[in-house]
Amino acid sequence: MRRIGVDTGGTFCDIVLVDDESGEVTVTKVPSQPRHPDRAIIAGVEQLLGLAGRKLSEIDTLSHGTTVATNAVITGRLARAGMLTSEGTRDVLEIGSQQRPTLYDLHQTSQPVLIPRDRRLDVPGRISADGAEVAPIDEEAVRAAVQKLIDEKVEAVAIAGLFSFLRPEHERRIRDIVRDMAPDIYVACSSVISPEIREFPRYATTAVNAVLAPVLDPYLRQLEQTLKENGLDAPLYIMQSSGGVATIEQSAGEGAHNLVLSGPAAGIIGAAAIASKSGFDNIITLDVGGTSADVGLATGGAPRTRHDMELPGGLPLKTRNLEIEAIGTGGGSIAWVDAGGALQVGPQSAGADPGPVCYGIGGTEPTLTDAQVVLGRLNPAGLLNGALSIDIGAARRAMADLGAKLGLSAEQAALGVVAVANANMAGAIRLRAARHGDDLRDFALVAAGGAGPLSGASLAGELGMTAVCVPPNPGLLSAVGLLSSNLRRDYTAPLLILGTKLKAGQVRAALDELRQQADAGLEKDGIARDARRFEHSLDLRYVGQDYTVAVPIEAETEPAAAIAEFHALHEKVYGFSPPREQVE
């Protein structure tokens, strides 16, 4: 097989071709085009195929990691959406959890809501906590609400009802009405997007899907069409936040919210695969790109995952994802002096355009890359095999201007920029390890990305780590990770019950139903039956807790064994475990 992995970042588009028959690996790197990411992909793929002497029609699979969803969430460039909810729950999205980022700040400003109140409407109809219908939906009221949203020129409608994960009929009927009245408007139902307990995370996840899908879908469809027009007659897979890849059909529409960490996820997968072959099963990954640095963790050769994540502004997103700590420290991070006279690096970035000063394409602000150039740590002959020249004089002048504000020489300022950037990265690594009580001395540091290996040794020394692993072509690790990822589908079902009342048969019945769904999906994907692997877990918590712990189980695991494992995991993660407390 001949497989291509394409990772689009904020600064560069990384592309790798692996020929499994000959063992040949061909790599290339082209500047990103943030306004038109598909153009950079096509240009890079053509350049790669030229180097390999191949045609696109000879490729068997192409996997892509994208930051389109990530950037849309960060920048707020989202679709105009409306929301229909059960009567009385219109403001769940805005009320949230009432958790504040700075608890004692009396002057906090509220975060903007994804869907403003005038486009959030509630309609009569309610389902109770036991799944019974308390009140039927009022179809005339629903039609009136839908017409208001049509008049507001929404591109998408999120539908979320109380306890709809137990009984989705109300949401389905509202969806049918929307599609009947406005076939061109995208519809997202919470009972499909996130069929789980707790209104706020479910409503929020559905809203995220609604504002992302109209932005993401045209990009994916256009990319697929352009690749086909250029000769690709093979599947196009998209990296998911979970660390698996999926088809376009899975990634678009109802799967759009699963792509928020599409770009960073591939780096951890690639790092785990390469480190495992080097004899390191417990690793911390540091993937430093042009715009940001991503920190991940893998134990036993497998990246650590979670079942929810927090978006900017504290918005919860219920989706399986790799545990990644992203910070605004990359090669293009701008160095500046704050009002107190302290040197800072990032989170502002020069990105691909205008880029660091040394690139000579319009950048005027000193960056981490400029500091490395001044210190003689980057090849003066240029980057991208010489295609991107380096202007050492311009970098030195930028560092000299920064140093003048601090009373330092250009070299001293450059050393300071690197030290601050390293401190930012060390803090992110410590935070990631502390969340699960991990001892960094038990881990190797995988230093990757274009700028990661430059800091690997110094960071490992500061953190007490005894090994550093630098992969071949470290700047293309995410593209390599795309080719190490399996096609993956995730399914979930609600089963809210006290642990003392849970029977093994109930768990097996729920897992059997999910497995049937997974088998049908994998059959559609063309995956042979003997190539399918299934993993199961239960979300458990102590009664009264807000958070859960995912406990891996086998289909035959007895509830008592799962609960015992929950106590042990809770002790490891949170430092305590009250085994006499009730579990649900």
Side-chain angles (χ1 to χ4, degrees), residues 505-566:
Q506 293 173 290
V507 176
R508 281 194 286 270
L511 292 178
D512 285 344
E513 184 176 343
L514 293 179
R515 182 159 177 162
Q516 290 174 13
Q517 297 177 39
D519 263 324
L522 294 172
E523 190 74 29
K524 185 177 180 181
D525 294 334
I527 304 301
R529 189 165 294 275
D530 60 359
R532 302 173 193 173
R533 187 177 77 249
F534 299 90
E535 298 173 351
H536 317 88
S537 68
L538 288 176
D539 283 349
L540 301 179
R541 66 182 180 183
Y542 293 113
V543 173
Q545 274 186 330
D546 186 50
Y547 53 85
T548 62
V549 174
V551 179
I553 63 168
E554 299 297 332
E556 299 77 19
T557 300
E558 291 292 328
I563 291 172
E565 179 65 16
F566 164 71

Side-chain angles (χ1 to χ4, degrees), residues 375-517:
L375 296 174
R377 298 175 178 176
L378 288 179
N379 190 346
L383 304 175
L384 303 179
N385 290 326
L388 182 61
S389 60
I390 294 293
D391 189 337
I392 298 176
R396 182 173 293 278
R397 288 190 294 273
M399 279 299 136
D401 291 342
L402 178 67
K405 300 175 183 178
L406 299 165
L408 302 172
S409 67
E411 288 78 7
Q412 289 172 324
L415 285 169
V417 170
V418 172
V420 171
N422 284 354
N424 292 342
M425 290 184 277
I429 292 173
R430 288 191 180 100
L431 178 61
R432 173 54 52 212
R435 286 183 175 169
H436 290 277
D438 296 308
D439 188 338
L440 287 171
R441 293 172 295 184
D442 299 331
F443 289 78
L445 177 66
V446 178
L454 293 169
S455 301
S458 57
L459 278 174
E462 181 179 343
L463 296 168
M465 305 172 74
T466 57
V468 178
C469 177
V470 179
N473 300 306
L476 292 98
L477 181 66
S478 289
V480 172
L482 287 164
L483 302 181
S484 302
S485 300
N486 293 311
L487 190 142
R488 179 188 184 96
R489 286 174 174 263
D490 287 277
Y491 297 88
T492 183
L495 182 63
L496 182 59
I497 190 171
L498 287 174
T500 53
K501 297 182 178 180
L502 181 63
K503 306 298 181 185
Q506 293 173 290
V507 176
R508 281 194 286 270
L511 292 178
D512 285 344
E513 184 176 343
L514 293 179
R515 182 159 177 162
Q516 290 174 13
Q517 297 177 39

Side-chain angles (χ1 to χ4, degrees), residues 116-137:
R117 196 170 195 271
D118 60 348
R119 298 204 303 271
R120 299 196 312 267
L121 307 174
D122 55 10
V123 294
R126 185 180 290 261
I127 301 297
S128 70
D130 60 4
E133 184 180 66
V134 176
I137 62 171

